[in-house]
Amino acid sequence: MSEPEQQIVEQLEIAARIIANASYVIALVGAGMSKESGIPTFRGGDGLWDKQGEPPMDGYQRFLEDPVRWKAEREAQAARGSDFGRAIEEAKPNPGHLALAEMERLGYLQHIITQNIDNLHQEAGSTAITEIHGNRTKQRCIGCGRRWNRGESLGELVIDSDDLPHCPDCEGIVKNDTVMFGEPIPQDALASCFEEARQADAILLLGTSATVTPAADFPVIVYRNGGRLIEVNPQETPLTEISDAVVRAPSGEALPSLVDRVGELVSKP
Ligand code: APR
């Protein structure tokens, strides 16, 4: 076995023992978790932003200034299609998503905070999820925060003379739930993240570069409360140095092994 492979085995053992002895485990998930489902990451050397540069940070402000124009631009962009759009449409949960759903079912994982909008955790069977950057399959009112799942009857939305959908409760504009650059994180999601971080005595850092806040702040809250950090990422991140276990492997490979080992540890007399 090579030195790196030996390292992975040792770090997975440390990670499994942390989880087996923890009482409230959460996960912070990033784009790397969905890479093995065919969805490109944003950073890490071969990500979307590495190739095309970070997008402007004022998308939400431009939307608020002229939602009709913004809607027309989005519809034109959707009509053109994109590699990212096709990848996210075709993506299926990978063994990493399935392992997290299994961990929830077995009681080893209490909550997922995901930065991903791809709905793959739900498709894998996870249910305790906070989507800090929204979900591409949902719509949300920017006035009161009410959401509609895809397929839910959107017939109750009030369509104005500019063909913009409005909330039947507060008349706010209804947009895709995905959080735009410059858009505040929805209050309900933010409150949930803080509550989960407060309760956690261990956090899995799965496929995130830990460079975007407020998501990258939650592991630090767990750390400051004396909780343990487990990083699963082929590359180093700003959280590596405060992590108790560092598994330098793809999440789709590491997580199934982790679930198995935790199962062995918890079933030992
Ligand atoms: N398994 C685990 N991690 C992986 C894998 C893999 N198979 N492949 C790549 N990675 C790691 C990379 O090393 C990198 O550290 O995943 C991380 C992806 O980082 P980002 O692309 O920055 O993704 P994320 O941390 O989720 O970005 C946060 O930035 O642009 C915004 O809204 C966007 O939600 C996103 C946020």
Side-chain angles (χ1 to χ4, degrees):
M1 185 184 290
S2 69
E3 167 60 22
E5 286 166 337
Q6 184 58 36
Q7 269 292 330
I8 291 170
V9 168
E10 287 168 7
Q11 293 300 309
L12 272 172
E13 182 65 17
I14 296 168
R17 290 178 184 278
I18 288 169
I19 292 172
N21 294 306
S23 51
Y24 199 94
V25 181
I26 66 173
L28 175 67
V29 173
M33 183 85 192
S34 296
K35 181 135 181 230
E36 292 152 274
S37 295
I39 301 176
T41 58
F42 301 101
R43 303 171 189 84
D46 58 349
L48 281 180
W49 304 159
D50 297 316
K51 292 174 188 156
Q52 61 193 39
E54 296 254 351
M57 289 298 151
D58 65 349
Y60 189 58
Q61 284 65 32
R62 286 192 299 112
F63 164 76
L64 292 177
E65 281 159 19
D66 187 346
V68 175
R69 178 159 168 254
W70 185 87
K71 180 169 180 286
E73 285 173 358
R74 280 299 292 266
E75 283 165 357
Q77 187 184 37
R80 286 194 300 273
S82 69
D83 292 344
F84 182 78
R86 279 183 287 278
I88 204 166
E89 274 292 339
E90 292 160 13
K92 294 283 176 262
N94 67 57
H97 296 104
L98 297 171
L100 287 191
E102 179 75 354
M103 286 179 76
E104 177 186 317
R105 190 181 67 79
L106 295 169
Y108 307 154
L109 177 70
Q110 278 63 52
H111 201 89
I112 294 171
I113 296 171
T114 188
Q115 300 170 88
N116 300 341
I117 62 170
D118 54 34
N119 203 54
L120 292 181
H121 294 297
Q122 289 89 338
E123 290 179 33
S126 293
T127 59
I129 305 166
T130 297
E131 295 171 302
I132 190 170
H133 293 159
N135 182 311
R136 57 183 287 276
T137 71
K138 296 180 181 175
Q139 301 287 310
R140 174 168 42 89
C141 169
I142 62 172
C144 65
R146 183 176 164 188
R147 289 183 181 82
W148 288 264
N149 292 317
R150 176 189 277 179
E152 237 179 313
S153 124
L154 294 178
E156 59 192 4
L157 300 186
V158 178
I159 307 301
D160 69 15
S161 57
D162 289 322
D163 199 27
L164 277 181
H166 289 261
C167 173
D169 300 340
C170 77
E171 297 181 3
I173 295 176
V174 175
K175 65 178 270 291
N176 187 288
D177 183 41
T178 300
V179 175
M180 298 158 73
F181 283 96
E183 181 178 2
I185 302 294
Q187 275 307 311
D188 58 346
L190 199 57
S192 168
C193 290
F194 276 109
E195 176 54 21
E196 293 302 328
R198 188 189 61 76
Q199 290 191 73
D201 58 350
I203 182 168
L204 287 153
L205 309 171
L206 306 174
T208 181
S209 60
T211 50
V212 172
T213 56
D217 296 334
F218 301 117
V220 178
I221 292 172
V222 176
Y223 175 73
R224 288 198 178 129
N225 289 341
R228 314 288 294 281
L229 278 62
I230 297 165
E231 180 174 80
V232 178
N233 191 326
Q235 294 181 16
E236 192 171 325
T237 77
L239 296 176
T240 300
E241 60 187 6
I242 60 170
S243 294
D244 300 85
V246 176
V247 181
R248 285 279 171 260
S251 45
E253 293 173 22
L255 291 176
S257 307
L258 184 61
V259 179
D260 292 346
R261 184 59 183 140
V262 175
E264 289 167 1
L265 290 170
V266 300
S267 57
K268 263 185 191 165

